[in-house]
Amino acid sequence: MSGFKIKLIASCLIFLSLNVFAAKGQTRQTSVLVIGGTTGGTSAGIQSARMHVPTIIVEETPWLGGMITAAGVSATDGNHELYSGIWEEFRTKLRIHYGGAAALATGWVSYTQFEPHVGDQIFKSMAGAEKQLSVIYGYHLTGILKKGKKVTGAIFENEKREHLKILAEVVIDATDLGDGLAMAGAAYDLGMESRSVTGEACAPEKANDIIQDLTWAAILKDYGKGADKTIAKPLKYNPDLYRGACTSADDAMLNDCQKMLNYGRLPNNKFMINWPNKGNDIYLNVVEMDWSHRKKALQPARDKTLGFIYYIQTELGFKQIGPADDEFPTADQLALVPYHREGRRLRGVTRLTITDIIDRYGGQPLFRTGISVGDYPVDHHHGCNLNTPEIRFPAVPSFNIPLGALIPELIDGLVVADKAISVSNIINGATRLQPCVLLTGQAAGVVAALSVKNKQQVREINIHTVQQALLDAKAYLMPLIDVNPDDKEFQAIQRVAVSGILKAKGESFQWANRSWFYPDSTVTVNVFSEGLRAIDSNFATAQDNSVLTLQKAEELFSKFLRKDVKSQILELWKSRKMHKTDENLPLTRRELSVLADELIRPFETRKVGFDGNWN
């Protein structure tokens, strides 16, 4: 029996363990329904179930994980040094499977590259461990159920035209293209907004409906010297589409073409084919089509990838490299679904723009509502549409995504995950990357679960309650590169940083932007007083640029809290075994974070609105 057949049988057994449901025309009821076992949908479902809330994921394909598994884009982008939440959990399992971090650094596009079927197996294992989670495969969304302005469930159909209705208290739209939010009647944007709408200097002057190119990815495998895995010549094959795909202008130079293949090199002599430069990117805007028309309209994407494979084999001379026979259960051995970089984008109670990220502390303080993190630069694929206006993307630091980007302006009972959150077209080029989407999905699961448990509408959930649940799951609120979850003061530093009491220093750095907290450095009296004023505008800023000592911190805290805190600080030092009693010694930002978190308790004594301002 072949290895691939064994894997398929194993997958079937996993399906059974996940309570697969495929009965004809039945209705089910749950607390949280997740539409789409995509990257964000999978993490949303797992997180919701971990909070002891009955949850169902409905996924069209037989796989979990969306773009990083079913779509074959298994070379992750970003968050390499942000060890956050479910992203870090998933990556750790990959490292265990392959034998360490170095075993995943096989190509040059990413530090984390893996075989898609392995990612699917890991996600199914994670899902299968949750007793409150059921996964239903083989059904696509056909309609949304509503009562007034509240979403109450959804209707699905499989290829046999069998229908499934699921009623839920909260629905998470984790579809690739935002199909659920559109069917629910939520407002959304599609294409590029105008500069006047987003306030982004780099946005086009006039709006348009242009989205990013999509890709139907493939996984190729090197079958060894002497093998000939050349596929049948595709219909309408045009080699001119691919000339110049290699890094050299002369695409006959195999060393350079090998470098092109090594871009997405995976373990076990495999290659991810997701190549924008004269490769298999294609411009197709199928977003507003229904399911059946969309499937037909996407065929040119499959054809272009098959043509690229044939070109690699025949024109470039790699006939021993062909579609992997142990990855996707499809007739042409391409990925199960296309890689959509962009679709509908929700109009949420807040919209994240590139301006919010560049000027984190100077404008609307959306950072205070952060629920997931990313560090990738703005990256758009527009090489296949010559009508796309030229945009020069400015450099950005690492960033967090505000909670309001997941919640519709007016529709209740709905949370949005994956790539359809409320962000501008510009910054979608950074928020769409796999680790960030996994973490945004995790946050969506927290919001949905809390809504059910607290019997509140999603827009009524206390933002700090959501953030604390994420901290308890070892997820970042602020993308601090120098304080990870193993740090015993991780939660305190995260709460102080996301409250703005102590600011992070952001920088653009190559393909992995950063934000530094500098936990072991000192701070001035003036800077700390400005941090206190940031959470209480009535507090006067101290005009003192000397280093903050324990004594001066005691004075500021006492003034801010209107009580003497000296004895409280001494007890805190004792309980935390920090032993700093000399009042003339300077405080580190780590020590100051512990004091501020314990004395002010910003999550307990303050309430923040979706706009990031204190209520």
Side-chain angles (χ1 to χ4, degrees):
M1 185 179 292
S2 72
F4 188 47
K5 289 181 179 178
I6 291 172
K7 289 171 184 172
L8 287 178
I9 292 171
S11 294
C12 292
L13 293 175
I14 292 171
F15 292 175
L16 291 175
S17 70
L18 294 179
N19 304 315
V20 178
F21 175 82
K24 184 177 180 179
Q26 293 194 30
T27 299
R28 288 190 66 173
Q29 193 158 1
T30 188
S31 295
V32 173
L33 167 64
V34 182
I35 305 172
T38 55
T39 304
T42 299
S43 57
I46 290 170
Q47 181 61 42
S48 175
R50 286 179 177 177
M51 297 179 73
H52 310 292
V53 173
T55 304
I56 293 175
I57 297 174
V58 180
E59 164 58 22
E60 179 181 340
T61 76
W63 283 28
L64 284 179
M67 61 178 162
I68 56 178
T69 57
V73 189
S74 58
T76 61
D77 294 303
N79 286 33
H80 180 64
E81 295 188 72
L82 295 176
Y83 312 102
S84 182
I86 281 180
W87 152 242
E88 179 60 17
E89 182 181 346
F90 174 70
R91 182 169 62 169
T92 298
K93 291 179 183 295
L94 285 171
R95 289 174 173 177
I96 292 171
H97 176 88
Y98 284 106
L104 302 179
T106 46
W108 54 267
V109 70
S110 170
Y111 292 107
T112 303
Q113 299 179 105
F114 54 94
E115 297 160 284
H117 78 271
V118 172
D120 169 58
Q121 290 170 359
I122 289 173
F123 281 131
K124 282 175 178 166
S125 175
M126 293 169 66
E130 304 305 324
K131 294 181 180 180
Q132 295 287 351
L133 179 60
S134 299
V135 183
I136 301 172
Y137 298 90
Y139 281 80
H140 62 271
L141 180 69
T142 59
I144 290 291
L145 301 170
K146 288 177 67 179
K147 185 175 182 180
K149 68 172 186 175
K150 186 179 187 302
V151 173
T152 58
I155 301 171
F156 303 87
E157 182 179 281
N158 63 15
E159 291 194 347
K160 296 180 181 179
R161 306 298 297 274
E162 296 167 336
H163 293 86
L164 170 65
K165 179 192 293 185
I166 300 183
L167 304 176
E169 296 175 64
V170 179
V171 173
I172 298 175
D173 178 12
T175 57
D176 259 340
L177 299 176
D179 293 337
L181 67 90
M183 292 180 186
Y188 62 86
D189 292 294
L190 180 61
M192 299 179 175
E193 305 99 331
S194 68
R195 194 176 308 156
S196 62
V197 169
T198 66
E200 299 165 313
C202 57
E205 184 176 347
K206 294 183 179 179
N208 60 62
D209 62 357
I210 297 172
I211 61 173
Q212 291 192 58
D213 300 342
L214 61 86
T215 307
W216 206 299
I219 305 298
L220 305 186
K221 182 166 69 172
D222 189 338
Y223 288 88
K225 187 177 180 180
D228 186 351
K229 291 295 179 177
T230 305
I231 64 174
K233 185 177 180 179
L235 295 174
K236 301 180 181 178
Y237 169 67
N238 180 4
D240 291 337
L241 291 175
Y242 313 106
R243 297 201 190 282
C246 298
T247 53
S248 169
D250 181 4
D251 62 13
M253 295 175 63
L254 296 186
N255 287 335
D256 289 330
C257 293
Q258 184 67 59
K259 183 177 178 181
M260 179 269 289
L261 289 172
N262 287 342
Y263 164 87
R265 191 181 188 103
L266 310 179
N268 293 321
N269 294 317
K270 293 180 181 178
F271 305 88
M272 177 193 70
I273 303 302
N274 171 33
W275 185 249
N277 180 31
K278 299 292 185 178
N280 54 333
D281 276 11
I282 189 170
Y283 184 78
L284 294 171
N285 191 336
V286 302
V287 178
E288 299 289 19
M289 297 180 182
D290 62 25
W291 182 79
S292 60
H293 288 94
R294 188 183 288 167
K295 286 191 72 173
K296 294 177 182 177
L298 285 167
Q299 185 59 44
R302 300 185 85 114
D303 294 339
K304 189 170 186 185
T305 295
L306 290 170
F308 190 37
I309 294 171
Y310 187 76
Y311 180 83
I312 290 170
Q313 294 173 323
T314 58
E315 300 276 339
L316 302 185
F318 293 97
K319 66 179 182 179
Q320 80 280 11
I321 295 177
D325 57 5
D326 53 356
E327 285 294 341
F328 305 113
T330 54
D332 55 13
Q333 298 180 321
L334 299 187
L336 288 156
V337 293
Y339 174 34
H340 293 287
R341 293 179 177 85
E342 183 181 352
R344 302 177 182 90
R345 298 185 312 283
L346 176 74
R347 290 186 187 174
V349 295
T350 56
R351 174 180 8 212
L352 181 71
T353 70
I354 197 168
T355 307
D356 298 314
I357 291 174
I358 293 172
D359 191 12
R360 180 185 289 155
Y361 300 110
Q364 194 175 22
L366 294 180
F367 71 90
R368 288 199 187 115
T369 72
I371 44 79
S372 66
V373 295
D375 64 7
Y376 209 68
V378 180
D379 179 32
H380 282 213
H381 284 228
H382 287 299
C384 299
N385 188 342
L386 299 180
N387 294 320
T388 305
E390 183 179 357
I391 298 175
R392 294 186 179 181
F393 303 117
V396 297
S398 55
F399 58 89
N400 62 3
I401 290 178
L403 179 57
L406 282 61
I407 299 173
E409 287 178 312
L410 301 174
I411 303 298
D412 288 326
L414 181 66
V415 183
V416 176
D418 217 73
K419 296 184 285 287
I421 60 174
S422 181
V423 296
S424 70
N425 164 266
I426 297 292
I427 205 58
N428 163 263
T431 63
R432 67 177 175 83
L433 281 310
Q434 306 99 316
C436 185
V437 170
L438 261 181
L439 296 170
T440 303
Q442 184 173 11
V446 169
V447 173
L450 287 175
S451 176
V452 171
K453 295 176 81 169
N454 297 342
K455 301 187 186 303
Q456 293 176 296
Q457 296 294 341
V458 293
R459 69 186 69 251
E460 297 171 351
I461 298 294
N462 185 299
I463 293 171
H464 285 153
T465 304
V466 174
Q467 291 175 320
Q468 185 57 52
L470 289 166
L471 288 178
D472 291 340
K474 296 185 177 181
Y476 290 50
L477 308 178
M478 293 288 285
L480 306 179
I481 194 172
D482 50 357
V483 184
N484 66 50
D486 291 332
D487 192 310
K488 68 176 183 177
E489 309 303 349
F490 171 75
Q491 288 207 15
I493 289 172
Q494 281 285 327
R495 284 189 290 263
V496 166
V498 82
S499 299
I501 298 172
L502 290 176
K503 295 178 180 180
K505 172 69 173 178
E507 68 170 330
S508 173
F509 182 74
Q510 300 175 1
W511 288 89
N513 302 313
R514 305 187 291 204
S515 294
W516 300 89
F517 189 74
Y518 301 115
D520 299 317
S521 67
T522 58
V523 65
T524 66
V525 175
N526 172 261
V527 166
F528 181 53
S529 67
E530 286 179 348
L532 293 175
R533 181 176 172 81
I535 60 172
D536 183 350
S537 60
N538 294 318
F539 189 77
T541 301
Q543 302 303 312
D544 182 349
N545 290 317
S546 65
V547 174
L548 184 75
T549 62
L550 178 56
Q551 180 182 15
K552 292 178 179 180
E554 288 173 359
E555 294 171 357
L556 286 176
F557 277 121
S558 296
K559 183 178 179 182
F560 182 82
L561 296 169
R562 298 179 177 84
K563 65 177 183 179
D564 187 352
V565 297
K566 183 173 182 177
S567 61
Q568 195 174 349
I569 289 175
L570 290 174
E571 284 298 317
L572 179 58
W573 284 153
K574 183 177 179 180
S575 66
R576 300 295 276 269
K577 298 182 179 179
M578 301 180 86
H579 305 302
K580 180 165 280 189
T581 56
D582 186 341
E583 292 190 337
N584 294 314
L585 287 176
L587 288 177
T588 66
R589 287 165 62 92
R590 177 191 305 279
E591 293 166 336
L592 187 56
S593 295
V594 171
L595 289 179
D597 186 53
E598 290 282 353
L599 296 174
I600 299 174
R601 296 191 175 273
F603 275 24
E604 299 172 29
T605 62
R606 301 293 190 277
K607 187 175 182 180
V608 67
F610 285 115
D611 60 2
N613 291 309
W614 300 110
N615 290 338

